[in-house]
């Protein structure tokens, strides 16, 4: 992982910056300092009088949700030219997976396993957003989650700390570049700190239950990686962590973030999350809520006004002192200096390329292409061959919907840029193939209706059927959790009817989360999981369907067979009674009155099997990759030393394609129990038919460190297993031992 440090955070630059901050702080009144700590919604078309007056009076440090560049410039002008100290504004916005040009949802981007592409995607988003005057995005969202019921899994990089760390850091680098004063770079915000993805039962905003060991080994590493990548800000989570809501959590924001990691940026609350400390039952009133948040280290309050209303009172009563306020404000001013806002507060369109230009659309298309995961392909149903088709049925509620393919969190996405699958396939096939298009369902949630019969007839009259299924954008995202993650409505029945025609049925699923697909999997010949693929999703899907690109995405999250298996993830612990295919007994095979002790006695569900529907890291290709000759550079590795684990990957099929080779490691015995496998490296490679290449992964023994019983980060001597392959179920194995010398 490459690490980037702000140019201005080193040596002389840093001292000069500190001096500027100190000088400005020295001229500020208490009210002006508190003003810098307040972020206000400014999404109205016309600037309201109260906002104008507040900015003039120095009562606003940041606005969010204003995306009209003229209005943003007007707001900056009020701050810079009409307020006493002329401090410019931070202008925030949720630029999550694109601005006008929309990339795949972050979970889809994670399926690319391509940090370089993710970095480029974030730069596209930053450039377009910056041209609207935005200088701060509330992204990347790097909450690990192992619960597909949680709607916000769509925004997350999935279940794995290592993959999330690499991709989160890439997003930070993409948004921020190496110099925040440059047009097209904006400050990033790693969120939600921390543990939000563990919301119980996948219900949004719910309580979490995360032992500190799990917090440090699983949930915190992506944030540490974002901090190491130079992320400018973090956002405190809405959630409660071990009885202390994250927004008032000193352990998180003081001990871990600042003391242990040395974070020098600032923390913003989530929307009204300080005020909500009273609703959590953590603070008796809003004054106490402000006290808890500010002492915990939340520099800026989003949307609610407890800081504005109560910090002065807290100072006057001596509960907090000015040094704390100065510390909080310094972080905010520092970012404003780093962004070059004092020198250059206004946005000039001439500094930017046109939005949604060819390059941006090409990156969006590439990201969509690489995000598509092929889950099934029986009898090489795919790719479809244009010259072998006279007619093609295109069915389903998501085949031609420019809005829904964009996914959640796309406030500024332009549907007119969307290329739908129907448009793209029609464009690609021209007049040569007759398209029989039937939407069949009004929405993804519609029940069986007469239009199903129309769809069946269209399928019967065609050489092949592509059915576009899934969830609309609104079924995932914030506050949009589901308890049942089957395809909604009667989609499974639609698939059954299509299958009855005997024609090859190809399902393309667009969704914001893993779905339970057991009720369609036997009725499809091939299945692509396209997430919500963004503006160019249709084009990417068409290219994959017709073989212009071999699918190469790999799952960044485990797909369960049934929702009762959740949480199900590859990096689980072994337990004292692990299940194996041999010991597993299916509920249907258990005779009544069988003695209790002979029925398996292993850790499993009797009715779900021991495996997921599709494992983490899984994804098929139009070719076949084989792995061989795994080797380890040194079987005995001294503590503090390095080793290389390598294997040879061969494209054993007849199509050129990308493969994502993955390295997994298991630490056999630990001071605390260790996962059965952990991802420690991956690489995307392109191989021609018949071509072989060696992939090698270098590890330092510190890459194998984990937090032990005393919450100390440590690598232990002992035996390790390692696997290289194309999914978390890779079977090509080697091993090594770390020795204490
Ligand atoms: C609430 C969400 O939790 C957060 O992710 C987002 O950035 C803010 N609202 C601002 O819209």
């Amino acid at each position: 992982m490459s690490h980037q440090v702000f140019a201005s955070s080193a040596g002389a630059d840093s001292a000069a910056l500190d001096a500027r901050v100190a000088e400005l702080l020295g001229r500020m009144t208490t009210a002006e300092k508190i003003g810098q700590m307040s972020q206000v919604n400014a999404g109205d078309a016309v600037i309201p009088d109260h906002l104008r007056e507040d900015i003039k009076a120095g009562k606003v440090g940041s606005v969010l949700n204003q995306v009209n560049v003229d209005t943003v410039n007007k707001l900056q002008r009020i701050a810079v030219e009409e307020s006493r100290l002329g401090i410019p504004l931070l202008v925030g916005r949720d630029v999550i997976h694109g601005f006008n040009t929309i990339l795949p949802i972050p979970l889809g981007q994670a399926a690319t396993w391509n940090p370089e592409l993710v970095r480029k995607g974030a730069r596209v988003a930053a450039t377009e957003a910056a041209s609207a005057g935005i200088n701060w995005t509330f992204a990347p969202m790097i909450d690990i989650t192992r619960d597909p019921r949680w709607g916000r899994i769509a925004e997350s990089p999935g279940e794995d700390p290592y993959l999330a760390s690499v991709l989160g850091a890439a997003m930070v680098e993409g948004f921020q570049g190496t110099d925040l004063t440059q047009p097209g770079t904006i400050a990033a915000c790693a969120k939600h700190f921390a543990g939000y993805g563990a919301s119980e039962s996948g219900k949004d905003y719910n309580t979490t239950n995360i032992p500190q060991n799990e917090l440090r080994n699983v949930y915190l590493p992506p944030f540490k990686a974002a901090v190491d990548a130079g992320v400018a800000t973090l956002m405190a989570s809405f959630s409660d962590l071990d009885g202390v809501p994250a927004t008032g959590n000193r352990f998180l924001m003081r001990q871990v973030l600042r003391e242990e990691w040395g974070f020098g940026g600032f923390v913003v609350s989530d929307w009204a999350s300080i005020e909500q400390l009273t609703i959590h039952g953590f603070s008796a009133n809003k004054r106490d809520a402000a006290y808890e948040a500010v002492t915990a280290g939340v520099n800026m309050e989003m949307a609610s006004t407890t800081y504005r209303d109560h910090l002065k009172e807290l100072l006057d009563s001596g509960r907090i002192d000015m040094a704390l306020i100065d510390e909080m404000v310094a972080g905010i001013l520092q970012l404003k200096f780093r962004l070059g806002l004092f020198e250059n507060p206004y946005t000039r369109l001439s500094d930017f390329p046109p939005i949604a230009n060819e390059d941006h659309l090409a990156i969006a298309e590439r990201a969509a292409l690489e995000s598509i995961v092929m889950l099934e392909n029986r009898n090489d149903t795919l790719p479809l061959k244009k010259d072998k088709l006279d007619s093609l049925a295109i069915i389903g509620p998501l085949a031609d919907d420019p809005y829904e393919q964009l996914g959640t969190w796309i406030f500024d996405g332009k549907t007119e840029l969307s290329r739908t699958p129907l448009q793209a396939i029609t464009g690609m096939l021209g007049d040569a193939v007759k398209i029989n298009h039937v939407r069949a369902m009004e929405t993804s949630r519609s029940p069986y209706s007469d239009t199903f019969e129309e769809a069946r007839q269209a399928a019967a009259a065609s050489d092949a059927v592509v059915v576009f299924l899934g969830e609309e954008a609104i079924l995932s995202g914030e506050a949009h959790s589901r308890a049942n993650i089957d395809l909604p409505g009667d989609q499974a029945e639609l698939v059954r009817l299509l299958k009855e025609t005997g024609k090859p049925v190809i399902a393309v699923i667009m969704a914001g989360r893993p779905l339970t697909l057991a009720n369609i999997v036997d009725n499809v010949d091939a299945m692509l999981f396209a997430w919500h693929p963004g503006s160019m999703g249709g084009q990417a899907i068409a290219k994959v369907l017709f073989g212009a690109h071999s699918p190469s995405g790999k799952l960044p999250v485990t797909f369960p067979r049934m929702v009762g298996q959740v949480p199900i993830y590859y990096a689980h612990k072994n337990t004292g009674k692990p299940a194996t295919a041999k010991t597993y007994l299916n509920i249907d095979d258990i005779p009544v009155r069988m003695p209790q002790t002979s029925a398996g006695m292993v850790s499993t569900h009797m009715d779900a099997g021991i495996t997921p529907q599709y494992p983490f890291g899984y994804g098929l290709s139009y070719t076949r990759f084989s792995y061989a000759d795994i080797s380890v550079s040194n079987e005995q590795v001294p503590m503090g030393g390095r080793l290389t684990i390598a294997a040879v990957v061969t494209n054993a099929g007849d199509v050129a394609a990308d493969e994502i080779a993955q390295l997994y490691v298991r630490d056999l015995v630990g001071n605390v129990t260790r996962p059965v496998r952990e991802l420690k490296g991956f690489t995307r490679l392109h191989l021609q038919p018949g071509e072989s290449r060696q992939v090698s992964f270098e590890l330092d023994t510190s890459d194998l460190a984990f937090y032990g019983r005393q919450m100390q980060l440590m690598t232990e001597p002992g035996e390790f297993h390692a696997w290289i392959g194309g999914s978390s179920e890779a079977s090509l194995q080697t091993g090594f031992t770390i020795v204490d010398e």
Side-chain angles (χ1 to χ4, degrees), residues 18 37 41 60 72 114 137 150 161 206 235-236 241 308 327 355 394 441 454 527 532 575 608 626 651 654 678 690 707:
D18 290 348
M37 298 169 70
N41 192 40
V60 178
V72 171
N114 187 339
T137 175
W150 191 45
N206 208 3
M235 185 185 291
L241 183 72
R308 177 187 280 204
E327 178 202 341
I355 56 138
I394 296 188
M441 300 173 74
E454 256 177 70
M527 178 153 58
H532 285 132
T575 80
S626 63
N651 179 344
D654 48 18
E678 289 179 285
Y707 285 87

Side-chain angles (χ1 to χ4, degrees), residues 63-81:
V63 293
L64 77 162
N65 294 337
Q66 180 54 257
V67 291
N68 179 302
V69 65
D70 297 330
T71 311
V72 171
N73 279 337
K74 277 185 198 152
L75 291 168
Q76 290 289 25
R77 188 154 283 121
I78 300 167
V80 171
E81 293 176 20

Side-chain angles (χ1 to χ4, degrees), residues 41-52 66 68 71 74-75:
N41 192 40
D44 296 327
V46 178
I47 301 172
D49 286 345
H50 65 86
L51 180 59
R52 179 183 298 274
Q66 180 54 257
N68 179 302
T71 311
K74 277 185 198 152
L75 291 168

Side-chain angles (χ1 to χ4, degrees), residues 5 42 47 174 219 222 363 371 393 412 423 448 464 496 541 563 628 646 652 713:
V5 176
I47 301 172
Y219 292 90
I363 290 168
S371 75
D412 307 293
Q423 289 166 352
Y448 177 86
R496 202 186 58 73
I541 290 167
V563 74
L713 186 63

Side-chain angles (χ1 to χ4, degrees), residues 613-637:
Q613 187 80 49
Y614 302 108
F616 176 85
Y618 167 86
L620 302 172
S621 161
Y622 290 154
T623 192
R624 202 168 49 75
F625 291 101
S626 63
Y627 287 79
D629 299 333
I630 192 164
S631 62
V632 54
S633 57
N634 32 332
E635 278 164 20
Q636 306 274 312
V637 190

Side-chain angles (χ1 to χ4, degrees), residues 64 94 138 152 191-192 235 238 270-271 302 409 478:
L64 77 162
D94 288 288
F138 305 123
R152 301 199 80 168
K191 70 186 189 185
H192 306 82
M235 185 185 291
F238 281 131
D270 202 340
W271 186 279
M302 181 190 288
W409 284 116
E478 185 177 350

